[in-house]
Amino acid sequence: QVQLVESGGGLVQAGGSLRLSCAASGRTFNGYAMGWFRQAPGKAREFVSAITSNSGRTYYEDCVKGRFTISRDNTKNTVFLQMNSLRPEDTAVYYCAAGVDQSMVLLTSTMGYPYWGPGTQVTVSS
């Protein structure tokens, strides 16, 4: 079992930046792949980015490539999502999730993650 808590969300103008953090507690953090997902009102939860347990592989949704960067610090049990050049369409609740290292198909799907944080709101104004 692993517990996750996101932080760093807020209100920002279009073109601005935010850095989300997800702190993990419980079982060994460095054994988990980590993902970021988001959910806008009335829409399904969608994949944003993922990173394997040793940071060897990272994945991004096409619409955030070049703007968002995922990273992790296994010494601090924390995963980060640096979000630059934010757009109004990035507005959503952002969730971090933990799962085992596995295929890209599963790491980019909600089905690949049994553990989830409560989410943090990101609002980008135009």
Side-chain angles (χ1 to χ4, degrees):
Q1 191 82 2
V2 61
Q3 293 77 43
L4 305 171
V5 178
E6 305 92 339
S7 61
L11 173 63
V12 64
Q13 288 189 331
S17 298
L18 284 173
R19 189 192 197 204
L20 304 184
S21 299
C22 174
S25 60
R27 288 193 175 179
T28 307
F29 173 75
N30 61 13
Y32 288 99
M34 300 297 295
W36 285 99
F37 292 76
R38 66 187 181 187
Q39 188 166 18
K43 295 187 177 182
R45 192 170 297 189
E46 64 176 7
F47 169 74
V48 175
S49 184
I51 187 167
T52 53
S53 61
N54 64 356
S55 304
R57 289 180 285 148
T58 58
Y59 303 100
Y60 297 94
E61 176 61 34
D62 285 346
C63 63
V64 307
K65 283 181 181 177
R67 300 190 298 125
F68 291 10
T69 302
I70 191 170
S71 62
R72 64 191 294 161
D73 186 341
N74 285 347
T75 66
K76 297 182 179 179
N77 290 357
T78 304
V79 63
F80 305 98
L81 186 68
Q82 178 67 43
M83 305 187 296
N84 299 329
S85 303
L86 282 162
R87 305 167 180 169
E89 53 265 39
D90 294 318
T91 295
V93 177
Y94 283 70
Y95 300 89
C96 74
V100 299
D101 285 331
Q102 52 199 319
S103 69
M104 181 187 73
V105 170
L106 286 173
L107 284 178
T108 59
S109 167
T110 57
M111 294 188 297
Y113 299 90
Y115 305 113
W116 293 82
T120 185
Q121 176 71 46
V122 171
T123 303
V124 184
S125 63
S126 57

